[in-house]
């Protein structure tokens, strides 16, 4: 990846030096200088990691801007530089100290810049792989639809709570006691809990809060239209309303415009609450279908790989086995033909050798066919084929097979080869003395359970044998579950949804997808 592409992919990291520069004049030296150096080094050395923390820098910078703004409104007399804005509060000297005046500068732009940093932080979080980014992307998908029903994102409750707390910030965070601040923190915690436990209730509260905030802003816009905007006389504290600081005059117009936007957004979301149940069911179905399509895509890819590998094995076995022997037969017969008159005895010996070679070639072909499709499976069915496997095993194998019909041949072959592989593993690797094979059918599921008393430690994630069986079964929506603690016993279960001969295929159920405990 070249340098340009690297930074195009991890563009949020470029915001880190800008946020660090914004602390100049906001924090005392040498903190801003150190932050700028660290941000530049992180952007140069680890842009991918820096992109994942850029939202934290924006959230922190925005929250600190709100804190400084409220501090200037309530008690702080020293002006601050906040990014592109310089904010200050007029003071007059009085005996024993100073007194704040109603003269202010830069408060409104400072609030807008702080809120903008918070919004940008949320956007950056949604495009990165940082924790919480998936929730933001899900909320955006719920708003847009994205191929599924559009619903109200329950996560919307968090910014709505923030807007309401900012509206009452003077009474919550700066009331002079700790209790209101604790109440504000509890409100955020309660909102997060409500989103997790009762998403529909969270969505209803979020929409209601948005509409009420919109009406509040519209009322200020109406006041501006009727009075031209009341002048701010300093008798009361200014009120933060979203990105607008209400200080009278044109700020009331801005509050009205912002209220219209909030009211329109709330009205846009309101109809979705009326169809929440149906849309939620459709969304759940759409999610299930998406997962189903993803699994089918994976199993189709696996089935293709298995088929290609099987064809290569057949080609290799034919080339190295039967084909080589048949070539040898042809060469022997040609040599015997040439020796027939001159040396009949030698010719008869070559013919006998050709006959023996042809027998071995036939044996190789039979083994090859048995590896593709065991004749015993086609002739006698799955139950007898598995019993034949048990009889040929070098350990004691008990079978308990109850089938009232035969599964489709492709399914039977997959289950047969799966049992054969598991039985081979039990003999070769686990040191088992006894193996028990149970096969039954219930609820549209063909289920086989293989238990051995070996050393345990089997894992389908390691090794190609069980993983190959799992891929082969997945082609038919089947599963393979393994329970094999160290010391044993090992229990391997196979489940495949399929009809038996004489049964209705439409009455099938899906596998339980539950691991063995």
């Amino acid at each position: 990846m070249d340098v340009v592409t690297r930074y195009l992919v991890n563009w949020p990291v470029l915001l880190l030096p800008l946020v660090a520069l914004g602390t100049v004049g906001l924090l005392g030296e040498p903190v801003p200088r150190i932050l700028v150096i660290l941000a530049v080094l992180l952007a140069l050395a680890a842009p991918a990691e820096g992109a994942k923390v850029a939202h934290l820098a924006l959230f922190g910078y925005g929250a600190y801007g709100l804190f400084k703004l409220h501090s200037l409104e309530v008690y702080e007399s020293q002006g601050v530089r906040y990014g592109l804005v310089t904010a200050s509060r007029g003071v007059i000297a009085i005996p024993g100290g100073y007194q704040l005046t109603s003269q202010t500068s830069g408060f409104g732009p400072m609030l807008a810049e702080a809120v903008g940093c918070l919004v940008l932080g949320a956007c950056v979080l949604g495009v990165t792989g940082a924790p919480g980014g998936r929730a933001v992307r899900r909320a955006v998908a719920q708003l847009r639809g994205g191929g599924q029903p559009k619903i109200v994102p329950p996560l919307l409750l968090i910014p709505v709570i923030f807007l309401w707390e900012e509206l009452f910030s003077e009474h919550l965070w700066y009331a002079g006691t700790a209790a209101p601040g604790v109440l504000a923190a509890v409100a955020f915690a309660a909102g997060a809990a409500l989103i997790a436990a009762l998403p529909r209730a969270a969505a209803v509260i979020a929409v209601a809060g948005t509409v009420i905030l919109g009406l509040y802003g519209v009322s200020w816009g109406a006041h501006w239209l009727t009075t031209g905007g009341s002048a701010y006389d300093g008798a009361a504290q200014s009120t933060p309303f979203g990105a607008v600081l209400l200080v009278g005059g044109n700020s009331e117009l801005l509050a009205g415009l912002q209220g219209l936007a909030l009211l329109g957004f709330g009205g846009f979301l309101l109809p979705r609450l009326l169809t929440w149940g149906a849309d939620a069911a459709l969304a759940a179905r759409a999610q299930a279908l998406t997962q189903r399509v993803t699994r089918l895509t994976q199993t189709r890819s696996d089935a293709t790989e298995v088929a290609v590998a099987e064809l290569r094995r057949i080609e290799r076995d034919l080339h190295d086995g039967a084909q080589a022997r048949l070539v040898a037969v042809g060469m022997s017969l040609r040599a015997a033909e040439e020796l027939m008159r001159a040396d009949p005895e030698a010719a008869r010996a070559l013919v006998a050798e050709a006959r023996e070679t042809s027998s071995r070639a036939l044996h190789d072909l039979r083994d090859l066919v048995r590896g593709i499709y065991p004749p015993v499976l086609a002739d006698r069915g799955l139950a007898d084929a598995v019993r034949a496997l048990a009889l040929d095993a070098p350990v004691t194998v008990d079978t308990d097979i109850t089938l009232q019909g035969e599964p489709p041949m492709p399914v039977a072959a997959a289950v047969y080869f799966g049992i054969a592989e598991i039985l081979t593993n039990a003999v070769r690797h686990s040191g088992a003395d006894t193996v028990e094979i149970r096969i039954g059918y219930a609820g549209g599921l063909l289920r086989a359970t293989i238990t051995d008393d070996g050393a345990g430690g089997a894992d389908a994630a390691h090794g190609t044998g069980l993983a190959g069986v799992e891929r082969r079964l997945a082609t038919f929506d089947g599963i393979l579950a393994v329970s094999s603690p160290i010391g044993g016993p090992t229990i391997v279960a196979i489940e495949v949804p399929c009809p038996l001969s004489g049964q209705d295929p439409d009455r099938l159920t899906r596998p339980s997808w539950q691991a063995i405990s």
Side-chain angles (χ1 to χ4, degrees):
M1 184 184 296
D2 57 42
V3 175
V4 175
T5 304
R6 189 182 184 191
Y7 283 101
L8 285 176
V9 172
N10 301 297
W11 62 267
V13 73
L14 301 177
L15 299 173
L16 290 177
L18 296 179
V19 174
L21 284 173
T23 62
V24 176
L26 186 64
L27 303 176
E29 286 291 349
V31 176
R33 195 179 304 273
I34 294 175
L35 289 178
V36 170
I37 293 173
L38 291 177
V40 171
L41 290 177
L42 183 59
L44 292 175
E49 289 71 18
K52 294 181 181 180
V53 299
H55 67 285
L56 297 177
L58 289 166
F59 284 149
Y61 191 69
Y64 191 71
L66 293 176
F67 167 75
K68 293 299 292 184
L69 173 64
H70 291 305
S71 299
L72 286 170
E73 286 185 319
V74 177
Y75 60 85
E76 194 166 330
S77 61
Q78 182 69 38
V80 295
R81 178 183 173 188
Y82 183 72
L84 303 176
V85 178
T86 299
S88 61
R89 182 69 178 266
V91 296
I92 56 175
I94 59 174
Y98 62 88
Q99 181 179 347
L100 300 178
T101 69
S102 61
Q103 184 179 0
T104 62
S105 174
F107 279 23
M110 185 176 182
L111 174 64
E113 188 173 332
V115 173
C117 285
L118 294 175
V119 173
L120 182 58
C123 295
V124 169
L125 176 59
V127 300
T128 63
R134 180 178 298 180
V136 175
R137 290 190 293 272
R138 186 188 304 117
V140 173
Q142 289 168 341
L143 279 175
R144 298 174 57 185
Q148 58 183 339
K150 300 176 181 180
I151 62 175
V152 178
L155 191 64
L156 183 64
L157 182 61
I158 296 299
V160 171
I161 291 176
F162 166 77
L163 291 175
W164 277 99
E165 290 204 348
E166 272 298 290
L167 194 62
F168 292 97
S169 58
E170 302 301 334
H171 305 285
L172 291 174
W173 299 104
Y174 299 95
T177 63
V182 172
L183 178 62
V186 169
F188 275 110
L194 193 63
I195 291 171
L198 299 170
R200 183 174 184 178
V204 171
I205 295 174
V207 172
T210 302
V211 170
I212 295 173
L213 284 170
L215 292 173
Y216 177 79
V218 168
S219 69
W220 279 108
H223 183 268
W224 181 86
L225 288 174
T226 56
T227 66
S230 57
Y232 177 62
D233 58 5
Q237 297 289 348
S238 55
T239 303
F241 174 58
V244 177
L245 190 67
L246 281 166
V247 291
N250 290 334
S251 67
E252 295 179 0
L253 172 62
L254 296 177
L257 295 175
Q258 183 175 261
L260 284 175
L262 290 172
L263 188 60
F265 184 57
F268 168 73
L269 294 178
L270 190 59
R272 299 187 182 188
L273 294 177
L274 303 178
T275 59
W276 177 278
D279 286 348
L282 287 174
R285 180 172 175 78
Q287 184 178 10
L289 288 174
T290 301
Q291 294 174 349
R292 175 72 173 153
V293 169
T294 302
R295 175 167 176 79
L296 287 176
T297 302
Q298 180 62 43
T299 55
R300 183 182 64 180
S301 175
D302 291 342
T304 303
E305 293 178 2
V306 169
V308 170
E310 189 71 8
L311 288 175
R312 288 176 179 172
R313 182 187 69 82
I314 294 171
E315 180 184 8
R316 183 177 63 252
D317 290 349
L318 286 173
H319 181 273
D320 298 341
Q323 178 180 325
R325 297 188 190 281
L326 292 175
V327 170
V329 168
M331 295 175 63
S332 297
L333 291 176
R334 188 179 301 112
E337 183 181 7
E338 294 175 355
L339 292 173
M340 187 65 70
R341 293 181 180 179
D343 191 351
E345 291 297 328
R348 280 195 295 270
L350 286 173
V351 171
E353 181 182 345
R355 185 174 63 250
E356 179 65 25
T357 303
S358 66
S359 297
R360 288 196 293 268
L362 182 60
H363 185 270
D364 289 344
L365 288 173
R366 286 173 176 168
D367 287 344
L368 181 62
V369 171
R370 191 176 294 111
I372 300 173
Y373 206 80
V376 66
L377 187 61
D379 296 340
R380 301 168 56 185
L382 178 61
D384 286 342
V386 172
R387 292 189 183 102
L389 276 178
L391 290 174
D392 292 338
V395 298
T396 301
V397 180
D398 298 325
T399 59
D400 181 5
I401 303 175
T402 306
L403 292 177
Q404 303 302 321
E406 285 297 320
M409 276 300 174
V411 174
V415 173
Y416 173 85
F417 284 116
I419 293 174
E421 175 67 27
I422 296 165
L423 187 57
T424 300
N425 287 346
V427 172
R428 291 183 179 177
H429 306 300
S430 73
D433 296 322
T434 303
V435 179
E436 182 180 4
I437 301 176
R438 294 179 178 271
I439 302 178
Y441 184 86
L445 292 175
L446 176 64
R447 181 181 178 91
T449 306
I450 303 93
T451 306
D452 69 65
D453 59 356
D459 187 357
H462 299 86
T464 58
L466 291 177
V469 172
E470 190 172 24
R471 287 195 299 271
R472 191 164 191 166
L473 293 171
T475 306
F476 307 99
D477 273 345
I479 62 168
L480 179 139
V482 180
S483 174
S484 184
I486 300 300
T490 295
I491 305 174
V492 183
I494 292 173
E495 278 189 1
V496 185
C498 69
L500 295 185
S501 56
Q503 292 190 342
D504 184 2
D506 294 332
R507 298 182 64 186
L508 299 184
T509 60
R510 292 294 172 196
S512 60
W513 304 103
Q514 294 178 353
I516 302 175
S517 58

